[in-house]
Amino acid sequence: MSDPEVRAEAAPAVARAKDKSPWNWLLFLPIVVPLLTPLFNHDSPRVGGFPMFYWLQLLFIVLGVTTTTVVYQMTKKRR
Amino acid sequence: MGDHVTEIVVFTVLFLLVSGIGFFAARWRAPNDMGHLDEWGLGGRSFGGWITWFLVGGDLYTAYTFVAVPALLFGAGAAGFFAVPYTIIIYPLVFLVLVRLWSVSHRHGFVTPADFVRSRFQSPTLALLIAITGIVATMPYIALQLVGIEAVLKTMGVTGDSAIARHLPIIIAFAILAAYTYQSGLRAPALIAFVKDTLIYIVILVAIIYLPYKLGGWGSIFDAAQKKFDGTPNPNDGIVLTAANQWQYITLALGSALALFLYPHSITGVLASKNRDVIKRNMSALPAYSLLLGLIALLGFMAIAAGVKPLPGAKAGSTDSNTVVPLLFDLHFPSWFAGVAFAAIGIGALVPAAIMSIAAANLFTRNIYKEYLKRDATPAQEASVSKITSLVVKVGAVACIVFLDPQFSIDLQLIGGVIILQTLPAVALGIYTRWFHRGGLIAGWFAGMALGFWMLYQIPNAATGRAHFGGSAFPLEKFAFIDSKTTVYVGLVAVAVNLAVAALVTLALRAGKVPDGGDDTNPDDYFADEGDPRVSVPAQATSTDPDLDPAPSPKV
């Protein structure tokens, strides 16, 4: 993935300033959802012995990974 | 210590192996010139995806995390699990904010967050406040890494009677750490982080498969924890949150996430990346550590199910709950594997301690030494000042542990989190807006600090019997105008007041036509990337060909 040669060849400064993307708003999802305690502050249903409080919060990690990956892919510099 | 010989031997061998790697790191990735602050303090700003992943991960998940978070679950139950949402929300925040900080720092050659503030607000005074806050908040954080090693050493029975004998192993460990950090700079923790994380992943995978099997499955582990909390007088513990501590959970997770990436050492790890893509890609890969952290946290409940009794603390009658995880390993793992696990925790302390001391040293060098003591310092002089400062910082951290009660370091770290949050308006919001007046930011900083200290002073600790600085959960009823049993995280309240004051004073100063500083940065600096033609070359301000020299490191 790391390919220093294929760096954008000194594009004009103005072209670089296009970083704003509506996709960035998606990042607020994994910021807000893990803070909504009423959503997951329960013992049941248990999954594999884990109370909901624990398995759902561990599942939020997947939510975080998915959204940051999507936003990264959609905002990545076009080569 | 007789029955711990195998553990001690495995621990020592792995420790020495890692020290060798630390010294070797100076020659790794062939630096042009180690006598330059960019090389020593930021690894030449050249780290790619994998190194950044290990470096930033090694930075954020420390020995103290591995020891203290499970200890918190062991003692308080669900409330200790705040570490999981905290490490989920941090990555999207970094994605939004630190990528821009990387760009503007790359463009202007900033090494510290205070460098950025100085240029953005043209205010050496504000930069000095940010630098001092960073150094003061980092010192006890380093000391806490030692608390982590100490919990392991205690479990292996490596203790003595006098203060010096008890701390001798830690003093030796830190002397070695100081020597290779001095020589190799940020390259040492970057390289060691590979070993550290490999060990930790192995230990955790074994622990979460093997221990539940031995303890009768996850269901019975959680049931054992619930049974213990039902039997305690504390109304706020349990395996789910109570009505009174839900706000504490939310505000602590959010406040800690905001604080974490304001810490100078997290910023150092990010600034050492070679381009924006490396950072963005890492923000989607780093949560793998959060999963690890969540599972490590649950070791606290396993310790309950296994009937672990923590070792006695420094004072008679007290217990040191930080020893529960090492004791659990000691009890249930074969001794050679317990040795590996202890080494993982021990080495896990060295990586962040090295990065933190480098970050604190860079702050001193750039924002105090160069700003106030020697204006015309050359990059080589900067590097040597940083090297020496990093030694001083480590000696200070060791002194904290040897001469103060370790509990005191924990209290100091609590304060550290609250004070580092007070740099949020200038650093994090400053990246997005130049609206605030520099005078407003300074006033907000003072207001936030004062309120934060006052609130922390009001909080007693029932467990240790101390009247002040006993925790970060502030009962809202202490504000005379609120009638509620709810508690909230001190840092978040203090930074909210800081922001309000900064905004009001900004409006007042604008109305009074008090001159504000200018802004040395341009809007498109915040999007600059590797190979940008306008990137300043630290040694001599000549433009480089971006195709030939993607990382602008000095050739002199």
Side-chain angles (χ1 to χ4, degrees):
Chain A
M1 285 270 247
S2 59
D3 39 3
E5 312 79 30
V6 202
R7 205 65 50 211
E9 280 80 34
V14 197
R16 288 171 179 277
K18 298 268 191 284
D19 192 52
K20 291 208 172 70
S21 162
W23 287 101
N24 284 336
W25 289 101
L26 204 59
L27 292 172
F28 285 95
L29 196 68
I31 295 177
V32 172
V33 171
L35 297 176
L36 304 174
T37 50
L39 205 66
F40 52 83
N41 192 25
H42 311 285
D43 190 325
S44 61
R46 288 197 176 193
V47 173
F50 282 69
M52 186 188 191
F53 183 79
Y54 299 90
W55 65 256
L56 194 53
Q57 289 195 79
L58 292 176
L59 216 58
F60 290 158
I61 298 172
V62 180
L63 173 75
V65 172
T66 312
T67 41
T68 38
T69 307
V70 167
V71 176
Y72 165 62
Q73 291 299 336
M74 301 316 288
T75 61
K76 163 162 95 170
K77 210 162 49 201
R78 301 278 172 258
R79 301 233 151 100
Chain B
M1 68 162 93
D3 50 337
H4 293 287
V5 174
T6 319
E7 290 172 6
I8 295 170
V9 169
V10 173
F11 180 89
T12 312
V13 167
L14 285 171
F15 196 91
L16 290 178
L17 172 80
V18 158
S19 305
I21 296 175
F23 285 108
F24 167 77
R27 277 183 282 168
W28 177 52
R29 295 171 64 83
N32 298 315
D33 173 16
M34 278 300 273
H36 191 291
L37 192 56
D38 266 30
E39 288 297 338
W40 183 83
L42 287 180
R45 301 184 195 251
S46 65
F47 290 162
W50 281 103
I51 307 172
T52 303
W53 193 73
F54 281 108
L55 187 68
V56 176
D59 218 10
L60 306 188
Y61 301 89
T62 68
Y64 187 67
T65 328
F66 298 135
V67 161
V69 172
L72 209 53
L73 266 87
F74 180 89
F81 211 63
F82 86 91
V84 170
Y86 146 51
T87 55
I88 295 174
I89 62 185
I90 184 154
Y91 298 111
L93 280 173
V94 171
F95 198 103
L96 290 171
V97 179
L98 286 197
V99 175
R100 292 169 65 108
L101 182 63
W102 182 91
S103 287
V104 69
S105 301
H106 190 67
R107 171 91 168 72
H108 290 267
F110 301 149
V111 176
T112 69
D115 282 350
F116 161 71
V117 168
R118 192 196 185 291
S119 289
R120 178 64 146 167
F121 298 97
Q122 287 185 351
S123 170
T125 314
L126 186 58
L128 179 68
L129 287 179
I130 304 291
I132 292 174
T133 313
I135 295 170
V136 171
T138 305
M139 289 280 285
Y141 214 151
I142 301 173
L144 274 196
Q145 303 310 316
L146 298 169
V147 173
I149 304 188
E150 202 160 51
V152 167
L153 293 173
K154 229 165 154 177
T155 309
M156 292 195 295
V158 187
T159 49
D161 291 328
S162 71
I164 296 295
R166 191 166 65 239
H167 295 291
L168 196 60
I170 284 192
I171 295 172
I172 296 170
F174 250 53
I176 299 173
L177 168 72
Y180 65 65
T181 312
Y182 183 89
Q183 192 191 333
S184 309
L186 196 63
R187 284 181 166 80
L191 198 52
I192 293 174
F194 284 88
V195 183
K196 171 210 155 194
D197 286 347
T198 310
L199 285 178
I200 285 177
Y201 272 106
I202 293 171
V203 170
I204 291 310
L205 279 177
V206 172
I208 59 160
I209 294 166
Y210 177 72
L211 291 177
Y213 162 76
K214 276 194 89 173
L215 297 168
W218 284 102
S220 60
I221 290 171
F222 284 106
D223 289 338
Q226 185 59 56
K227 191 157 158 267
K228 176 199 159 179
F229 295 128
D230 286 345
T232 62
N234 184 347
N236 284 330
D237 59 12
I239 60 169
V240 294
L241 300 171
T242 63
N245 62 15
Q246 286 201 33
W247 276 108
Q248 170 68 14
Y249 192 85
I250 296 167
T251 52
L252 186 57
L254 180 60
S256 307
L258 293 171
L260 188 68
F261 79 92
L262 289 168
Y263 271 110
H265 60 267
S266 328
I267 292 179
T268 297
V270 170
L271 293 190
S273 326
K274 69 173 178 179
N275 60 38
R276 287 168 67 99
D277 263 9
V278 164
I279 303 171
K280 287 189 168 187
R281 200 163 58 220
N282 259 294
M283 290 314 118
S284 27
L286 274 163
Y289 283 105
S290 308
L291 191 62
L292 192 68
L293 181 77
L295 298 171
I296 292 172
L298 293 174
L299 291 174
F301 286 167
M302 291 189 206
I304 295 177
V308 168
K309 296 268 175 293
L311 291 175
K315 276 194 292 271
S318 68
T319 56
D320 181 358
S321 62
N322 287 327
T323 54
V324 296
V325 167
L327 282 171
L328 179 70
F329 290 165
D330 186 44
L331 211 61
H332 284 283
F333 284 154
S335 46
W336 69 270
F337 194 71
V340 174
F342 292 167
I345 297 177
I347 297 164
L350 299 183
V351 173
I355 307 170
M356 288 166 193
S357 68
I358 289 170
N362 289 347
L363 278 170
F364 174 80
T365 306
R366 292 294 288 244
N367 310 107
I368 297 176
Y369 174 74
K370 192 173 164 129
E371 184 78 53
Y372 293 97
L373 300 174
K374 192 165 169 32
R375 267 273 144 100
D376 55 347
T378 64
Q381 284 170 327
E382 280 181 24
S384 62
V385 170
S386 253
K387 283 172 147 186
I388 293 163
T389 314
S390 84
L391 292 182
V392 175
V393 168
K394 284 192 214 67
V395 172
V398 174
C400 276
I401 293 293
V402 175
F403 298 109
L404 301 171
D405 181 352
Q407 179 60 41
F408 193 66
S409 305
I410 295 171
D411 297 341
L412 284 177
Q413 203 270 333
L414 186 80
I415 299 170
V418 172
I419 69 171
I420 200 70
L421 260 179
Q422 307 314 317
T423 65
L424 180 122
V427 179
L429 291 187
I431 291 169
Y432 271 92
T433 171
R434 181 58 186 77
W435 181 79
F436 288 103
H437 190 289
R438 55 186 176 180
L441 290 170
I442 293 171
W445 183 92
F446 278 105
M449 285 292 175
L451 180 69
F453 271 95
W454 177 80
M455 289 169 81
L456 289 171
Y457 185 79
Q458 301 295 316
I459 300 171
N461 186 329
T464 57
R466 295 155 51 90
H468 306 292
F469 297 109
S472 66
F474 186 80
L476 279 179
E477 59 190 359
K478 294 235 184 196
F479 287 128
F481 50 91
I482 298 175
D483 181 28
S484 161
K485 287 269 171 272
T486 299
T487 60
V488 293
Y489 176 54
V490 169
L492 212 58
V493 179
V495 78
V497 169
N498 176 339
L499 274 173
V501 170
L504 289 175
V505 173
T506 295
L507 292 175
L509 292 175
R510 292 265 152 78
K513 303 249 186 300
V514 179
D516 192 356
D519 181 356
D520 291 332
T521 67
N522 293 315
D524 61 334
D525 289 350
Y526 296 84
F527 309 107
D529 205 347
E530 181 188 13
D532 191 292
R534 301 156 307 150
V535 162
S536 72
V537 179
Q540 75 273 55
T542 52
S543 68
T544 52
D545 181 351
D547 291 315
L548 294 177
D549 186 20
S553 39
K555 299 278 191 278
V556 200

